[in-house]
Amino acid sequence: MTIGQDTKSLTPYPKVRRMRFRFGQPEPMTHIFAEGDIPLTHLIAVLSAAFPPGEESFIRSVRKFSGEITDPVLEKRVAGFIGQEAVHGQQHRVLNDQLIELGFPIVRLFTFEPGAPRERAVITVENLVPRQVHLACTALAEHYTATLAKRVLGTPEIQLLPGDPEVLKLLNWHAFEELEHKSVAFDVYRATGGSEAVRIGLMAGSYVLTIPVVGLGVFASILSDRRSWRPITVARQSVRLVRGPIVRGLLREMRPYMRPGFHPDDIDTGALLERWRLELFGAQGELVDRLG
């Protein structure tokens, strides 16, 4: 088998789709757009805020190895990965602009133009670590997003959660494409001699920090938004969020990544991708009219 060939995916290369979501149309988004659920709203806001700079970092990590990828299949998959991640960042910026208008100060912290001091600072930090470590961080982040994407698309309870319909469409599209390219960064890492010990060690460290860091981000977002200062409601809803289908058991699903010899395609999402490809982009797909 050619290195980088995805034997379980139904498409050989991630497909770049130029999307145009319509946040706030025809009805304006409400402040707590997850229909009254404060922690869930802020979780989505924090994730959306982090996606554009995160995905730009992922793209840079893969491009550092562009001259060393000799497999033409992997080269095309990398091109698809970069294209998809770029569009993800673009569309999340559109949503983030809406979130800033709605009063989410923490989103503004992650919103900066290319070449801005904050971006230069991020790139400086990236360049201080070995490029294989940067790429390994991308591979493990892609496993996180793929695991969450599988939950979002494969759990009816999550699809039935009330919320802004356009935000849900964005999340479903993003989740779908995360599954399409879930193994690209991993295959670049492996094809360019990435260490198994580094890969597993980085995941072990991030595994311990995931819930505390994300929880702290959501808590900070809530504190920065005076309209969300409803302690009893937030406490009750936070317990429900932690016990609900988004968070419950999520870390357990991350663990296979720390197994020596693991590959993202060991987790077969082919049938899920096929079902959602039809639902989102089939002849009557719900996102056909969002294609730019």
Side-chain angles (χ1 to χ4, degrees), residues 1 34 37 40 49 99 101 109 140 150 157 167 172 188 193 195 218 231 249 289:
M1 182 182 74
D37 192 321
L40 178 57
L99 296 178
E101 289 183 16
L109 292 177
L140 76 83
K150 180 174 177 287
E157 288 177 85
V167 173
N172 283 341
V188 174
S195 161
V218 172
D289 63 344

mmCIF file of all heavy atoms in Angstrom, residues 1 34 37 40 49 99 101 109 140 150 157 167 172 188 193 195 218 231 249 289:
data_model
loop_
_atom_site.group_PDB
_atom_site.id
_atom_site.type_symbol
_atom_site.label_atom_id
_atom_site.label_comp_id
_atom_site.label_asym_id
_atom_site.label_seq_id
_atom_site.Cartn_x
_atom_site.Cartn_y
_atom_site.Cartn_z
ATOM 1 N N MET A 1 0.847 -1.194 0.000
ATOM 2 C CA MET A 1 0.000 0.000 0.000
ATOM 3 C C MET A 1 0.882 1.243 0.000
ATOM 4 O O MET A 1 1.876 1.317 0.695
ATOM 5 C CB MET A 1 -0.898 0.022 1.236
ATOM 6 C CG MET A 1 -1.840 1.203 1.286
ATOM 7 S SD MET A 1 -2.849 1.242 2.801
ATOM 8 C CE MET A 1 -1.619 1.767 3.983
ATOM 9 N N ALA A 34 -27.457 28.683 22.058
ATOM 10 C CA ALA A 34 -27.794 27.277 22.299
ATOM 11 C C ALA A 34 -29.083 27.202 23.111
ATOM 12 O O ALA A 34 -29.206 26.403 24.044
ATOM 13 C CB ALA A 34 -26.667 26.553 23.014
ATOM 14 N N ASP A 37 -28.874 27.575 27.011
ATOM 15 C CA ASP A 37 -27.831 26.779 27.662
ATOM 16 C C ASP A 37 -26.535 27.596 27.680
ATOM 17 O O ASP A 37 -25.820 27.674 26.671
ATOM 18 C CB ASP A 37 -27.639 25.452 26.929
ATOM 19 C CG ASP A 37 -26.795 24.460 27.723
ATOM 20 O OD1 ASP A 37 -25.818 24.905 28.361
ATOM 21 O OD2 ASP A 37 -27.112 23.257 27.710
ATOM 22 N N LEU A 40 -22.973 25.517 27.276
ATOM 23 C CA LEU A 40 -22.838 24.976 25.925
ATOM 24 C C LEU A 40 -22.592 26.099 24.925
ATOM 25 O O LEU A 40 -21.759 25.970 24.023
ATOM 26 C CB LEU A 40 -24.090 24.185 25.541
ATOM 27 C CG LEU A 40 -24.097 23.593 24.123
ATOM 28 C CD1 LEU A 40 -22.891 22.690 23.898
ATOM 29 C CD2 LEU A 40 -25.401 22.827 23.870
ATOM 30 N N ALA A 49 -13.704 30.348 18.449
ATOM 31 C CA ALA A 49 -12.663 31.367 18.540
ATOM 32 C C ALA A 49 -11.284 30.772 18.285
ATOM 33 O O ALA A 49 -10.428 31.380 17.626
ATOM 34 C CB ALA A 49 -12.705 32.025 19.920
ATOM 35 N N LEU A 99 -20.239 36.535 16.928
ATOM 36 C CA LEU A 99 -20.124 36.321 18.364
ATOM 37 C C LEU A 99 -19.583 37.565 19.072
ATOM 38 O O LEU A 99 -20.006 37.896 20.180
ATOM 39 C CB LEU A 99 -19.223 35.117 18.642
ATOM 40 C CG LEU A 99 -19.742 33.761 18.143
ATOM 41 C CD1 LEU A 99 -18.734 32.662 18.433
ATOM 42 C CD2 LEU A 99 -21.090 33.417 18.744
ATOM 43 N N GLU A 101 -20.046 40.630 18.088
ATOM 44 C CA GLU A 101 -21.169 41.563 18.128
ATOM 45 C C GLU A 101 -22.169 41.196 19.211
ATOM 46 O O GLU A 101 -22.798 42.073 19.825
ATOM 47 C CB GLU A 101 -21.870 41.605 16.765
ATOM 48 C CG GLU A 101 -21.071 42.288 15.668
ATOM 49 C CD GLU A 101 -21.847 42.355 14.360
ATOM 50 O OE1 GLU A 101 -23.075 42.146 14.391
ATOM 51 O OE2 GLU A 101 -21.220 42.604 13.316
ATOM 52 N N LEU A 109 -10.093 37.902 21.692
ATOM 53 C CA LEU A 109 -8.692 37.602 21.996
ATOM 54 C C LEU A 109 -8.047 36.741 20.918
ATOM 55 O O LEU A 109 -6.838 36.817 20.689
ATOM 56 C CB LEU A 109 -8.593 36.885 23.346
ATOM 57 C CG LEU A 109 -8.935 37.693 24.598
ATOM 58 C CD1 LEU A 109 -8.865 36.801 25.834
ATOM 59 C CD2 LEU A 109 -8.007 38.889 24.748
ATOM 60 N N LEU A 140 -2.110 15.077 16.857
ATOM 61 C CA LEU A 140 -2.936 14.754 18.030
ATOM 62 C C LEU A 140 -4.160 15.655 18.091
ATOM 63 O O LEU A 140 -5.252 15.214 18.491
ATOM 64 C CB LEU A 140 -2.116 14.821 19.316
ATOM 65 C CG LEU A 140 -1.732 16.153 19.951
ATOM 66 C CD1 LEU A 140 -2.837 16.730 20.813
ATOM 67 C CD2 LEU A 140 -0.465 15.996 20.788
ATOM 68 N N LYS A 150 -16.839 12.589 15.183
ATOM 69 C CA LYS A 150 -17.547 11.316 15.151
ATOM 70 C C LYS A 150 -18.714 11.329 16.134
ATOM 71 O O LYS A 150 -19.802 10.813 15.841
ATOM 72 C CB LYS A 150 -16.574 10.180 15.475
ATOM 73 C CG LYS A 150 -17.187 8.776 15.475
ATOM 74 C CD LYS A 150 -16.087 7.741 15.662
ATOM 75 C CE LYS A 150 -16.657 6.322 15.750
ATOM 76 N NZ LYS A 150 -17.337 6.077 17.043
ATOM 77 N N GLU A 157 -28.582 12.258 20.007
ATOM 78 C CA GLU A 157 -28.843 13.198 21.105
ATOM 79 C C GLU A 157 -28.197 14.551 20.843
ATOM 80 O O GLU A 157 -28.767 15.599 21.158
ATOM 81 C CB GLU A 157 -28.295 12.643 22.415
ATOM 82 C CG GLU A 157 -29.060 11.486 23.011
ATOM 83 C CD GLU A 157 -28.367 10.992 24.267
ATOM 84 O OE1 GLU A 157 -28.623 11.578 25.340
ATOM 85 O OE2 GLU A 157 -27.564 10.047 24.167
ATOM 86 N N VAL A 167 -25.599 27.677 12.977
ATOM 87 C CA VAL A 167 -24.412 27.239 13.716
ATOM 88 C C VAL A 167 -24.315 25.717 13.674
ATOM 89 O O VAL A 167 -23.230 25.157 13.480
ATOM 90 C CB VAL A 167 -24.453 27.750 15.170
ATOM 91 C CG1 VAL A 167 -23.305 27.142 15.983
ATOM 92 C CG2 VAL A 167 -24.376 29.270 15.202
ATOM 93 N N ASN A 172 -21.789 20.713 11.692
ATOM 94 C CA ASN A 172 -21.901 19.431 10.986
ATOM 95 C C ASN A 172 -20.959 19.373 9.795
ATOM 96 O O ASN A 172 -20.315 18.344 9.547
ATOM 97 C CB ASN A 172 -23.342 19.207 10.536
ATOM 98 C CG ASN A 172 -24.251 18.768 11.667
ATOM 99 O OD1 ASN A 172 -23.793 18.287 12.700
ATOM 100 N ND2 ASN A 172 -25.546 18.931 11.491
ATOM 101 N N VAL A 188 1.637 12.324 7.281
ATOM 102 C CA VAL A 188 2.830 13.130 7.000
ATOM 103 C C VAL A 188 3.855 12.908 8.110
ATOM 104 O O VAL A 188 5.053 12.739 7.849
ATOM 105 C CB VAL A 188 2.469 14.621 6.873
ATOM 106 C CG1 VAL A 188 3.747 15.465 6.732
ATOM 107 C CG2 VAL A 188 1.560 14.861 5.673
ATOM 108 N N GLY A 193 9.246 10.259 9.235
ATOM 109 C CA GLY A 193 10.082 9.719 10.292
ATOM 110 C C GLY A 193 9.740 10.169 11.694
ATOM 111 O O GLY A 193 10.597 10.127 12.585
ATOM 112 N N SER A 195 8.621 10.242 15.478
ATOM 113 C CA SER A 195 8.849 9.281 16.559
ATOM 114 C C SER A 195 7.534 8.863 17.212
ATOM 115 O O SER A 195 6.698 9.706 17.549
ATOM 116 C CB SER A 195 9.765 9.906 17.606
ATOM 117 O OG SER A 195 9.696 9.234 18.836
ATOM 118 N N VAL A 218 -13.947 27.908 29.132
ATOM 119 C CA VAL A 218 -15.396 28.156 29.180
ATOM 120 C C VAL A 218 -15.736 29.029 30.381
ATOM 121 O O VAL A 218 -16.532 29.977 30.277
ATOM 122 C CB VAL A 218 -16.175 26.828 29.219
ATOM 123 C CG1 VAL A 218 -17.660 27.073 29.472
ATOM 124 C CG2 VAL A 218 -15.976 26.056 27.916
ATOM 125 N N PRO A 231 -25.178 32.242 38.396
ATOM 126 C CA PRO A 231 -24.422 31.127 38.990
ATOM 127 C C PRO A 231 -25.199 29.836 39.154
ATOM 128 O O PRO A 231 -24.678 28.753 38.840
ATOM 129 C CB PRO A 231 -23.995 31.693 40.354
ATOM 130 C CG PRO A 231 -23.997 33.173 40.163
ATOM 131 C CD PRO A 231 -25.105 33.467 39.207
ATOM 132 N N GLY A 249 -17.510 10.376 28.492
ATOM 133 C CA GLY A 249 -16.768 9.312 27.821
ATOM 134 C C GLY A 249 -15.851 9.777 26.711
ATOM 135 O O GLY A 249 -15.221 8.943 26.046
ATOM 136 N N ASP A 289 -27.012 24.575 -0.984
ATOM 137 C CA ASP A 289 -27.152 26.003 -1.275
ATOM 138 C C ASP A 289 -26.163 26.867 -0.505
ATOM 139 O O ASP A 289 -26.165 28.090 -0.638
ATOM 140 C CB ASP A 289 -28.575 26.478 -0.992
ATOM 141 C CG ASP A 289 -28.959 26.356 0.474
ATOM 142 O OD1 ASP A 289 -28.257 25.644 1.214
ATOM 143 O OD2 ASP A 289 -29.942 26.989 0.883
#
